[in-house]
Amino acid sequence: MSLFNTCRLRSDRIPLRLRTRATLSIAIGISLLGGCAAPKFTVDDGRPVNPELLANIQAYGQGEQALRPAIARSAQLSDADCSRQWELPIAVATSQQWAETDRVAWVRALKVDERPTVIAVAPGTALQPGDKLVDIDGTASTEAEKMLKQLADMRDQGRPFPVRTAAGQTVKLVPFEVCRGYTRLAPPNTPELQEYHWLMSYHPLQVAKADLTEEEALWTVLWTQGMSEEGGARMKTYHYGTQVIGSLYTLATIASGIKGAAMAAEAAVATAQKAAATVASDLIRQQLIEQAKQFGVDRIRDQLAKSAQQLTQAQVVASMQQVAANKGLLGGVSRVAATVFDRADTWAYQRMKRLGADPLAGFALHQKMLERQLLSNALPFDPERMASLQAVAQQDGRGEDVVAVLKGIRPETLNFDTGDMPLASAPTEFSYEDPVARDASPYAQGLIEAMLGTPENLLPGARR
């Protein structure tokens, strides 16, 4: 029941004879004013908050602020060969379903409160980060989830629509079409979540922590779209049992910051960890432990020697082994997606050229992630992907440029003798009979599949 209706009912319950008495009317009026005061929104009262969550929320905002302009730029492709989705020139978040202290962290980091709050905009948009949406095409509600659903529904209709901010500003939002494959970031309280799907992908929050440049952000968006285009048919075949429900899908794509979605993400991460424990061999696990130890020793030695900030050849190989292992441990639909990561690389390379961007941005992002040890995501290359994309660049006459981007470490030198330790990879080839897919967990095939196939009233955080 709305606040307005509640107030009206209270007034209706007052006996007529009492309403004629001035003194009682005044007293009742004061009582009604107190009960019908405007809703209070969280403010930063200076209290201590979880510093890790605060940093993750800040990174989430920075990542969205890098990706939203890139998403808008990708619309310039007008690629007739790709499937299409509607996007918005803004990204929004809400803290309504978060714990009280966590809501303070959202305000402190991004000025986000319980209302749908703009956290990122594309160039040319009249709205700014921090603006609160209070009316979306005539829909006004204190329930953020209802507002976000309305925003998603208006987006998918593909026509311009008005929104009004808490400051009284009315702005017309114009949806635009992009190639299929929404690019999203993991929620701040589940930063390690990674999910690759033909409809949408969640990249781990460490991608945002790479401080994406404009062209690296564009590469990330195009790569995500390319993975959808190149692997969509295979992923659809694998997910044969899931029915796509539009309302849940639109909610998931636009409200990844809602606590309910974050709770589902936590379950998905737990399932992924279970899958990893099932399919990872002792050899690969031991490799990763030894590589991590050696990397730490090498970094200390480098710092003591005040050497140049450049990865050694051994560190590059160890890091790329970890990248390969990360891909091999993906489960469900994400595991299917991993079989076309190399095709997504080429797809993104070619579209970067069409947009007049530097197609070597993928190599630059790869190098940055190796240097920062941001390896548990799909954007750095494993040895096979490096060789494949390097060959594309070589044919394009950019071979020496790739060498320069990789700071002098030539791809062909990565094949030096590593003794008896093979490059880490998935212990078995992909199969549609993946046992993880038959797991009893509703998240066995991933968060997105679960949200698409689960009735709304059964989703985590739903009202019962």
Side-chain angles (χ1 to χ4, degrees):
M1 180 177 295
S2 71
L3 185 62
F4 173 78
N5 288 334
T6 300
C7 294
R8 186 175 61 186
L9 286 174
R10 288 178 180 175
S11 178
D12 291 344
R13 290 171 183 170
I14 301 172
L16 180 60
R17 60 187 177 83
L18 292 181
R19 278 183 274 159
T20 62
R21 299 182 181 182
T23 54
L24 286 179
S25 295
I26 294 173
I28 293 170
I30 293 174
S31 174
L32 288 175
L33 286 174
C36 299
K40 294 182 179 180
F41 302 107
T42 300
V43 297
D44 186 356
D45 56 10
R47 74 177 68 181
V49 298
N50 183 329
E52 182 178 357
L53 176 63
L54 181 66
N56 285 342
I57 295 174
Q58 291 171 332
Y60 183 77
Q62 292 168 357
E64 288 288 350
Q65 288 158 19
L67 291 172
R68 190 55 41 175
I71 291 169
R73 189 177 176 185
S74 75
Q76 299 173 16
L77 275 174
S78 300
D79 195 329
D81 296 330
C82 68
S83 301
R84 315 293 288 177
Q85 288 176 327
W86 289 103
E87 264 286 16
L88 287 174
I90 63 171
V92 299
T94 172
S95 66
Q96 189 167 72
Q97 296 187 34
W98 291 68
E100 181 180 356
T101 298
D102 293 344
R103 294 199 300 271
V104 173
W106 275 99
V107 174
R108 188 173 303 170
L110 295 177
K111 300 180 180 179
V112 170
D113 63 19
E114 291 80 356
R115 295 165 289 187
T117 304
V118 177
I119 60 172
V121 299
T125 306
L127 295 172
Q128 297 296 324
D131 285 341
K132 319 293 192 236
L133 303 185
V134 297
D135 187 287
I136 299 170
D137 195 44
T139 295
S141 174
T142 57
E143 295 183 17
E145 185 173 343
K146 180 177 180 180
M147 295 286 281
L148 290 170
K149 282 185 177 181
Q150 175 69 4
L151 189 61
D153 288 343
M154 297 308 301
R155 176 201 64 191
D156 290 343
Q157 289 181 32
R159 60 175 178 81
F161 62 95
V163 298
R164 182 167 54 85
T165 70
Q169 179 187 20
T170 298
V171 173
K172 181 174 290 186
L173 291 182
V174 182
F176 53 86
E177 281 192 301
V178 295
C179 288
R180 184 187 62 197
Y182 287 120
T183 304
R184 298 294 184 263
L185 294 170
N189 68 334
T190 53
E192 68 274 32
L193 173 70
Q194 54 180 325
E195 179 99 7
Y196 308 107
H197 192 280
W198 85 91
L199 294 175
M200 174 177 67
S201 291
Y202 281 106
H203 291 275
L205 207 50
Q206 63 175 226
V207 171
K209 294 179 179 180
D211 299 323
L212 300 173
T213 66
E214 288 184 13
E215 299 214 329
E216 289 167 355
L218 182 60
W219 174 273
T220 302
V221 171
L222 293 177
W223 183 91
T224 306
Q225 295 172 355
M227 184 273 299
S228 170
E229 285 300 313
E230 295 291 350
R234 174 175 281 198
M235 284 183 270
K236 288 178 183 179
T237 299
Y238 183 73
H239 103 301
Y240 59 90
T242 298
Q243 181 179 9
V244 175
I245 302 176
S247 62
L248 296 186
Y249 170 52
T250 53
L251 176 61
T253 62
I254 203 165
S256 60
I258 279 186
K259 183 64 175 177
M263 290 171 62
E266 291 171 352
V269 170
T271 299
Q273 291 172 342
K274 177 181 178 181
T278 301
V279 304
S281 68
D282 290 335
L283 172 63
I284 291 178
R285 284 199 295 270
Q286 188 59 37
Q287 284 179 27
L288 298 182
I289 293 172
E290 294 302 320
Q291 290 162 7
K293 289 180 180 178
Q294 186 59 47
F295 181 79
V297 171
D298 289 343
R299 287 300 291 268
I300 292 173
R301 183 185 300 118
D302 288 347
Q303 291 174 5
L304 291 176
K306 296 182 179 180
S307 61
Q309 296 298 309
Q310 180 173 322
L311 296 177
T312 67
Q313 192 178 72
Q315 290 167 349
V316 171
V317 171
S319 296
M320 292 175 74
Q321 286 178 313
Q322 292 184 56
V323 172
N326 174 69
K327 185 177 74 172
L329 297 180
L330 294 174
V333 175
S334 293
R335 192 178 183 197
V336 186
T339 65
V340 296
F341 281 2
D342 57 338
R343 298 182 192 175
D345 298 334
T346 301
W347 198 95
Y349 183 98
Q350 295 169 342
R351 269 65 181 184
M352 290 286 286
K353 290 174 60 179
R354 290 189 191 180
L355 290 174
D358 184 1
L360 302 188
F363 291 101
L365 183 56
H366 162 88
Q367 181 69 12
K368 180 190 290 187
M369 288 189 163
L370 261 60
E371 291 174 351
R372 301 187 184 190
Q373 284 293 281
L374 303 174
L375 306 175
S376 297
N377 67 89
L379 296 176
F381 306 132
D382 59 28
E384 293 178 352
R385 288 172 61 190
M386 171 63 79
S388 175
L389 191 58
Q390 192 269 341
V392 173
Q394 189 73 37
Q395 294 175 358
D396 206 24
R398 303 295 302 274
E400 290 302 315
D401 294 334
V402 171
V403 172
V405 170
L406 297 176
K407 299 187 178 180
I409 300 178
R410 295 177 177 272
E412 60 266 23
T413 66
L414 295 177
N415 295 322
F416 71 89
D417 185 15
T418 57
D420 295 330
M421 185 177 73
L423 289 173
S425 60
T428 59
E429 292 297 323
F430 170 77
S431 169
Y432 283 105
E433 297 302 319
D434 184 352
V436 177
R438 297 191 296 271
D439 192 285
S441 168
Y443 300 99
Q445 295 186 54
L447 169 63
I448 298 171
E449 289 292 290
M451 293 193 75
L452 293 179
T454 303
E456 186 171 1
N457 64 330
L458 298 181
L459 284 173
R463 291 188 176 87
R464 301 269 195 316

